[in-house]
Amino acid sequence: MSRRSSLVGAVALVLLVSVVAACSSDDKTTATANSVSGSIKVSAAASLTEAFNGLQTTLKKEEPDLSITYNFGGSGALVTQIQQGAEIDVIAAADTDSMKKLQNDGSVEEPVIFAHNKLEILVRPGNPKQIKGMADLARPDIKFVTEDETVPAGKYSAQALANAGVTVSPVSKEPDVKAAVAKVTSGEADATIVYQTDVTAAGAKGEGVEIPDAQNIIANYPIAILKATKNHGGAAAFVDAVVHGSGQDALQQRGFLAVT
């Protein structure tokens, strides 16, 4: 081999090593940029409890360095907490009206609808009072509970009852949908109106009675990142999982309706 050929080969080798090193460096930079770590706090409507807890297990595998803490409750109460200074990274509500309050005061980035839900009557196992539809909820022998109308489930229930032309006298108005479920599953009440996903979650402790579509309400669930978040990458990863990723599987497995 000539001296010139050897020199050209050596230069080519140096260039190749430099390119490989640069690519390796770029890969590491990209991996670092795309990795998610730290912690986030998510405020979510009570009806999302089972689905979001299921999502957390999946996300632990997808984003092992991201820690998620949930704060479940009525959407109205969650909004109030944020407006009073609660440090939250993501909020997922059960209605667009609650989210609109945070949009109006500039607290959140643009929300995205990630799921739908429908209402269903929840009764005790075996349906001992033989409740067949909305009209039965007005019977004097029925202990009916509902949610306060400051939370989406209560507002939706009132609309469904109005659609059915039924007037009820609830024995109590609960602070969120899970509290209403507990009244029935514990035997303190005969019936309530909740989301169909809550009937599914009640399992053997309750039984569902369908509400006709003409009387029913479709609930829209929006999610948004708080502008004050200190971990935007973690918040964005969570929202992406809920809207596009494994969160959709967790939601639909528990009866939520997909956004089409």
Side-chain angles (χ1 to χ4, degrees):
M1 181 180 291
S2 68
R3 182 178 179 185
R4 177 182 176 80
S5 297
S6 298
L7 180 60
V8 170
V11 170
L13 180 61
V14 169
L15 289 173
L16 178 60
V17 171
S18 297
V19 170
V20 171
C23 289
S24 177
S25 176
D26 288 345
D27 288 344
K28 289 179 181 178
T29 301
T30 300
T32 300
N34 291 336
S35 62
V36 177
S37 61
S39 62
I40 60 169
K41 190 169 185 179
V42 178
S43 280
S47 53
L48 291 165
T49 301
E50 291 79 17
F52 273 20
N53 280 334
L55 170 60
Q56 188 171 38
T57 302
T58 304
L59 271 181
K60 195 64 181 173
K61 298 175 183 177
E62 297 174 355
E63 303 290 353
D65 296 324
L66 181 63
S67 175
I68 304 168
T69 300
Y70 289 124
N71 172 40
F72 294 109
S75 296
L78 299 179
V79 168
T80 299
Q81 291 168 8
I82 291 171
Q83 292 177 327
Q84 292 178 346
E87 295 185 358
I88 302 297
D89 300 285
V90 176
I91 180 168
D95 69 331
T96 54
D97 288 344
S98 295
M99 187 67 78
K100 194 68 177 178
K101 294 176 183 178
L102 296 177
Q103 288 180 268
N104 290 342
D105 64 22
S107 297
V108 294
E109 297 181 5
E110 187 65 26
V112 178
I113 302 297
F114 65 93
H116 301 304
N117 214 340
K118 293 173 71 174
L119 300 178
E120 194 167 0
I121 300 170
L122 176 69
V123 299
R124 286 187 283 160
N127 196 2
K129 291 295 182 76
Q130 293 299 299
I131 296 168
K132 300 185 188 314
M134 298 285 272
D136 288 328
L137 301 179
R139 283 166 30 195
D141 64 317
I142 299 297
K143 290 182 179 179
F144 174 72
V145 297
T146 188
E147 304 85 3
D148 191 89
E149 290 184 26
T150 58
V151 298
K155 177 182 66 178
Y156 294 142
S157 295
Q159 291 174 355
L161 287 164
N163 289 346
V166 175
T167 300
V168 295
S169 299
V171 295
S172 68
K173 291 189 175 184
E174 301 302 314
D176 60 52
V177 71
K178 291 302 183 185
V181 169
K183 287 287 187 178
V184 175
T185 57
S186 67
E188 295 181 59
D190 299 310
T192 185
I193 297 174
V194 295
Y195 300 112
Q196 63 178 10
T197 52
D198 292 301
V199 175
T200 300
K205 295 181 179 179
E207 189 172 313
V209 176
E210 289 188 8
I211 298 174
D213 286 343
Q215 301 169 1
N216 217 320
I217 302 294
I218 298 295
N220 296 314
Y221 283 65
I223 190 169
I225 299 173
L226 273 295
K227 290 182 179 179
T229 179
K230 296 178 182 177
N231 186 358
H232 194 277
F238 181 85
V239 170
D240 185 65
V242 169
V243 177
H244 304 293
S246 53
Q248 284 295 304
D249 292 334
L251 288 160
Q252 290 170 41
Q253 285 172 7
R254 288 159 179 82
F256 283 89
L257 307 175
V259 176
T260 56

